[in-house]
Every structure is written in structure tokens, then in C-alpha cells.
Amino acid sequence: MAFAVVCTRALVGVAAPLVQVEIHLANGLPQFNMVGLPDTEVRESRERVRAALVNCGFQFPPRRVTVNLAPADLPKQSSRFDLPIAIGILAASGQINDRTLHLHEFAGELALSGTLRPVRGALPMAVAAGKDGRKFVLPWDCAQQGALARSTEVYGARHLMEVCLHLSGEQPLSPVRVETETRHDQSYPDMADVRGQLRARRALEIAAAGGHHVLMKGPPGTGKSMLAGRFPGICPPLDEQEAMEVAAIQSASEENFSTTQWGCRPFRQPHHAATVAALAGGGARSAPGEASLAHGGILHLDEMTEFTRSALEALREPLETGVISVSRAARKVTYPARFQLVGTMNPCPCGFLGHPSGQCHCSPQQVARYLNRISGPLLDRIDLVLEVPAVSLWEARQSQDGEPSARVRERVVLAVQRQKERQEQTNARVPVAALLRHAVLEQCSQDLLSRAANRFSLSARAVHRILRVARTVADLRGDERVRMTDLAEAISYRGWACSDG
Ligand SMILES: Nc1ncnc2c1ncn2[C@@H]1O[C@H](COP(=O)(O)OP(=O)(O)OP(=O)(O)O)[C@@H](O)[C@H]1O
Ligand SMILES: [Mg+2]
């Protein structure tokens, strides 16, 4: 038979749709044609495959070789199709035993010598193969990543010959096993280093406990970046499902993902010169952007007002829905992007507005223009907005060391446990209907909330977000009831946003 089909996977965002590599050998002048929307990288695989087969002692069939990558309307990128194409040609020309071919899927880049090089997306591809009941053969260097998909057997091969011997049954590869243990020992700087700033510390504790977004505003040198950098240290550990989602995105990204990072909460700090594509994803290789790489973790935007308006506006969608959609010429790619935003900014262009030294000379128009860099709709999505005021050197010396991160984290973990037992999700993510059921307000609290809503012209979204924060404050206290003081504290983190923004 001069025909073979080999299964592999494309990578669209973090999804890995099935691609069937069909190989047909026909009589006629020797030719090698590839159809099915291959991009340049895939078309180049012709030369790699030809050289690899010859260098492994096989014959490249002196016939008319047609390779079809189906479905034809799905764009194919990257060199991951080298291995399935090589295996398909060997099977179609009868040079390998293909009895078990239909039980496997393959992906990998071939060196001219036949050595296999790693490809990105090993984990999402292996997960998808497992769902279709097939085993996955990957280059050794990314097989550990693939093996995180517990649902299927993943084999790691260093060379094309190893794959051939595995298929013929002469030297079967053993499935790759990988140990995963959620890590708790990530080393972040300690909250204990921060002097004073009790209100900011409290807000960060609430944010960590409920998964809320935070924005800190204050003069230079008050500890905003310092606090933000210590935030991951007080966040709860990832659960299994979160760790899996995080690993799948990192595996699909351009970053070098190692299985030792399993369970680490992402903490991304993009520079303020980041472009929309760098933040949102897409670009030529449709790789996930910073917002997706922060999925399940924290996106820290330091000097938030310095980001371009279009870059910040691109975050509006994921802040609300937890996904980010990037439209490209041919299709729309959706990436998961449920991150927690931690932003920092100065109050005005010179940075000293409200500073006790009174050294700010910015005009009201300059201040307004500066604050307008963060749009109303974006501000509306941020649950906790607070001032981080200047602390004098004397005050800083006087105040004692802050509470260590480990102690804060203990309280946060308890509060998260409470939320998961009650509603399976954190307060920031629970659907509105469930939130209203679990955050029932007494009459006096309802009055307070409607007064605040009128006074600050709060949107329905802002009201719900206040309720979510109030629910978290109650959870930190270990109380199933939301009291008026909880609500008042939640509203206090909105006041600045409403009056200035
Ligand atoms: N509350 C504080 N406790 C201890 N050290 C502090 C505090 N605030 C500032 N510092 C010291 O000042 C340095 C600068 O702080 P940081 O970078 O966090 O300021 P910032 O508020 O982000 O300023 P900017 O607005 O200029 O970015 C810190 O590295 C730390 O040494
Ligand atoms: Mg800073």
C-alpha cells in the first residue's frame, strides 16, 4: 500500500486540534508536494525529513510524494510536523512496521541527522491525544511536559530510529513518568521588610484571600513596588486543576517551561513599554501574551500609567471574562487569561501630589490628563483602589517590622478554604446569583450600600464588586454573615476611584 495516515496536533492558542498527515506515494517523476495550508516552517520540513531519512539509513522513496495536512482550512505552523511526516513516508513506503501506528500520535522537529528536537505545546497536545484515546510520542526534551497529562501514555524519543523501533515492537519505549508535587517553597521577598503601610498590607491580604484586583497609588518611594513584589508570597497555593491550566499555557508559550515549575503561581511583571500583542498574545506565532502567562496568578503592572492606553484597554476583556480573544487575519484565537491585576502608579506626573512636602506643582489639567490614562471602565473593574502615603524616615524607623508573609498566608489560606467549601470558587469568581445568596446584607448595610452607590454613581458592576470584597472581609474574619463594618471597609477601597477617576 502506498498510503498512510499519521495523527498529530496543531496548536491554536492553547487548544490542540487533531491534524491527520496523509501520505500518498504515486508513480511518476520524483517530487515532494505538501498541501493543507502549511506555513514556511512546515514547508521547510521537506528538506529536514529527506535528510533525516537518508541519514538514518532509510530510502527516500524515488516517487511522487504527496503530503496532505488535514483539515485543510486549519493553518499549520511550526516544525512539529517533521516527525509525523517522516513516520508517514516510512509507513507508506513499507519501510517500517505500521501495525500500531493508529494507536499513536507524534510531534517533533527533526535534525538532519534524525535527532529529535523539542517543540512547544507538548502538554496541551498530549491532553488532547489522551481524550481521543491515543498515546503520544514526543522528543525526549519535551516529553516530561507531555507526561503531565495523566490521561495518556507519553513516550520520549531522542532519535527517529528509537520511534521506528518502538513502532515495530523491537525496542518499545517506556512511558515517561513525572513526579509533581504542588510547591509551597517559592522564595519571594518577605512582607516583614515593609515598615508601616498597614492599610496597603490589609488591602493586599483581602486581595489575596478573595482573588481581587488591586491598584496602589502614591508618591515615589513609599513602598508600592515593594508591596506588589511581596504579594505572591501571601497568595494561597494553586490547586491541581489550576496548576494544570497554568502548565498548559506555559507549555504552549515560547517560554522554556520545566516540570519543576509545576504548581508555582505565575507572577508576571511586563515592562511598561509592552505592546498590545506582548500583553494580549497573538503575534506571528500566535503565542500567549503576558496576560495569559499570568493566568491563575498575578499580573503586576508597575507604573501602570506609563503603559499605552491601547495596551491597558486590551486588558478590559480578560479582567471581566477571564479570557482574551485575538482576531488574526484568518481566525480568532482565544487564550485563557484569568489573572489577578496588581497595579501601581503615582498620583500625578511629578508624583508628589498630596505629599506632606507640598512640592507638587502639577496643574489640575496635568493631573486630570495623567489620571485619564487609566480609563473609567478599566478602573471600574478594579476592586481595591488605595493610596499608599509617604512614610517619613522617622516613622519608618519607629514602626516595627511588619508581619511575615507566612503568617498572613495562613489567614489567607483559611479564608480561601471557607470560600471553596461554601461556593467552590473564590469570591472574585463566584457567579453573581451565588454571590447574592451568600452575601445577604442586613437592612442597615443595604442602606449604606445604596447611599454609596448614589454618592459615587456606582455601576452595577462596581456594586457587585463591593459585595465580593465585603464577602472576603467576612471570610477573613471567619464569619458566614457579612456585617456592616465589612461592607464599609469594602466601600472605602472604592472611594478614591470614584471621586478622582
Ligand atoms: N514602607 C517601607 N518600608 C521599608 N522600606 C521602604 C518602604 N517604602 C519604601 N522603602 C524603601 O524604598 C525603596 C523604594 O520603594 P519602592 O520601589 O517600593 O517605591 P515605590 O512606591 O514603588 O516608588 P515609585 O513610585 O518611584 O515607583 C525600597 O526598596 C525600600 O528600600
Ligand atoms: Mg515603584
Side-chain angles (χ1 to χ4, degrees):
M1 186 184 67
F3 178 73
V5 180
V6 181
C7 292
T8 182
R9 300 272 156 186
L11 198 60
V12 182
V14 288
L18 178 70
V19 170
Q20 290 188 315
V21 180
E22 300 167 353
I23 314 277
H24 178 59
L25 306 183
N27 292 332
L29 283 177
Q31 261 184 16
F32 190 166
N33 292 320
M34 203 177 299
V35 293
L37 228 54
D39 79 350
T40 327
E41 238 171 337
V42 183
R43 266 185 264 128
E44 284 173 352
S45 88
R46 251 194 292 224
E47 304 311 321
R48 290 192 294 268
V49 169
R50 191 194 300 271
L53 290 186
V54 172
N55 286 328
C56 290
F58 293 111
Q59 186 199 35
F60 190 85
R63 302 174 67 181
R64 202 185 143 112
V65 180
T66 307
V67 176
N68 179 31
L69 305 171
D73 59 353
L74 183 74
K76 323 290 183 315
Q77 292 176 318
S78 127
S79 49
R80 72 173 68 86
F81 300 106
D82 290 4
L83 177 61
I85 292 172
I87 295 290
I89 292 175
L90 291 176
S93 56
Q95 298 184 74
I96 55 164
N97 181 338
D98 62 357
R99 267 183 307 119
T100 57
L101 197 58
H102 63 287
L103 302 176
H104 294 86
E105 293 191 12
F106 307 82
E109 177 181 326
L110 278 174
L112 302 187
S113 61
T115 308
L116 285 166
R117 292 194 172 126
V119 289
R120 69 185 172 100
L123 178 52
M125 289 194 288
V127 169
K131 283 195 187 133
D132 287 351
R134 279 185 288 266
K135 301 165 185 180
F136 211 100
V137 181
L138 281 164
W140 179 258
D141 289 344
C142 61
Q144 292 249 324
Q145 267 182 44
L148 289 171
R150 307 268 180 225
S151 52
T152 189
E153 284 187 358
V154 169
Y155 303 104
R158 290 186 174 84
H159 198 276
L160 175 62
M161 285 310 294
E162 287 180 25
V163 183
C164 299
L165 293 172
H166 171 75
L167 287 175
S168 67
E170 285 168 62
Q171 252 180 55
L173 296 163
S174 8
V176 179
R177 300 262 171 260
V178 55
E179 288 300 317
T180 54
E181 214 179 285
T182 301
R183 292 182 47 179
H184 302 280
D185 59 343
Q186 275 167 279
S187 49
Y188 291 108
D190 204 290
M191 277 285 180
D193 307 336
V194 183
R195 299 288 177 104
Q197 304 299 12
L198 295 183
R199 184 168 157 79
R201 298 166 64 104
R202 167 75 177 163
L204 290 181
E205 182 172 335
I206 296 172
H212 308 290
H213 307 301
V214 202
L215 174 59
M216 291 182 277
K217 185 188 88 160
T222 55
K224 301 180 296 298
S225 303
M226 201 178 171
L227 283 158
R230 283 155 178 76
F231 182 65
I234 61 166
C235 286
L238 294 179
D239 62 29
E240 272 290 305
Q241 198 201 331
E242 286 171 328
M244 189 62 161
E245 289 174 12
V246 167
I249 295 170
Q250 288 181 349
S251 168
S253 76
E254 309 270 332
E255 309 254 315
N256 211 355
F257 170 62
S258 143
T259 49
T260 53
Q261 286 162 261
W262 173 264
C264 294
R265 191 173 285 277
F267 181 53
R268 307 291 303 187
Q269 299 176 288
H271 188 258
H272 54 70
T275 59
V276 177
L279 272 187
R285 294 165 69 91
S286 61
E290 289 291 337
S292 294
L293 289 167
H295 177 82
I298 299 134
L299 183 68
H300 173 207
L301 301 186
D302 207 9
E303 315 299 349
M304 199 163 154
T305 40
E306 302 304 326
F307 282 79
T308 62
R309 181 129 177 161
S310 50
L312 290 180
E313 292 304 292
L315 299 179
R316 271 165 64 172
E317 182 199 3
L319 280 173
E320 194 67 17
T321 60
V323 294
I324 198 157
S325 310
V326 181
S327 290
R328 304 199 55 223
R331 72 218 132 99
K332 189 166 148 186
V333 183
T334 303
Y335 304 91
R338 192 175 294 286
F339 56 83
Q340 217 175 325
L341 176 71
V342 176
T344 62
M345 62 181 277
N346 296 125
C348 67
C350 81
F352 289 96
L353 184 70
H355 195 273
S357 66
Q359 66 188 91
C360 173
H361 296 297
C362 301
S363 69
Q365 289 83 354
Q366 279 175 316
V367 175
R369 250 203 318 277
Y370 181 78
L371 294 178
N372 268 341
R373 293 188 194 171
I374 298 181
S375 71
L378 185 62
L379 210 49
D380 202 41
R381 285 162 168 78
I382 302 179
D383 313 273
L384 304 152
V385 183
L386 64 141
E387 306 242 16
V388 182
V391 186
S392 70
L393 192 61
W394 186 82
E395 263 179 279
R397 283 224 183 106
Q398 287 296 306
S399 56
Q400 297 182 340
D401 275 358
E403 205 180 8
S405 296
R407 279 232 297 280
V408 183
R409 196 171 192 245
E410 279 169 21
R411 291 197 296 271
V412 167
V413 168
L414 280 180
V416 172
Q417 238 169 30
R418 227 166 263 134
Q419 294 164 52
K420 296 245 164 111
E421 276 163 21
R422 183 178 59 230
Q423 66 212 12
E424 288 175 11
Q425 281 160 320
T426 54
N427 292 329
R429 290 175 58 176
V430 70
V432 173
L435 171 75
L436 297 177
R437 256 199 330 277
H438 297 306
V440 180
L441 298 180
E442 299 153 340
Q443 190 55 49
C444 54
S445 303
Q446 282 183 24
D447 294 343
L448 175 66
L449 188 54
S450 40
R451 275 205 307 279
N454 287 335
R455 161 80 178 78
F456 299 127
S457 313
L458 294 179
S459 67
R461 178 200 289 129
V463 169
H464 288 152
R465 285 187 179 263
I466 286 175
L467 272 182
R468 289 178 194 278
V469 175
R471 182 60 267 173
T472 305
V473 176
D475 284 323
L476 275 169
R477 270 195 305 109
D479 196 341
E480 278 311 304
R481 283 177 46 214
V482 177
R483 294 180 192 275
M484 194 163 158
T485 46
D486 305 330
L487 186 71
E489 185 172 358
I491 293 172
S492 76
Y493 294 116
R494 277 267 164 186
W496 173 82
C498 303
S499 54
D500 282 1

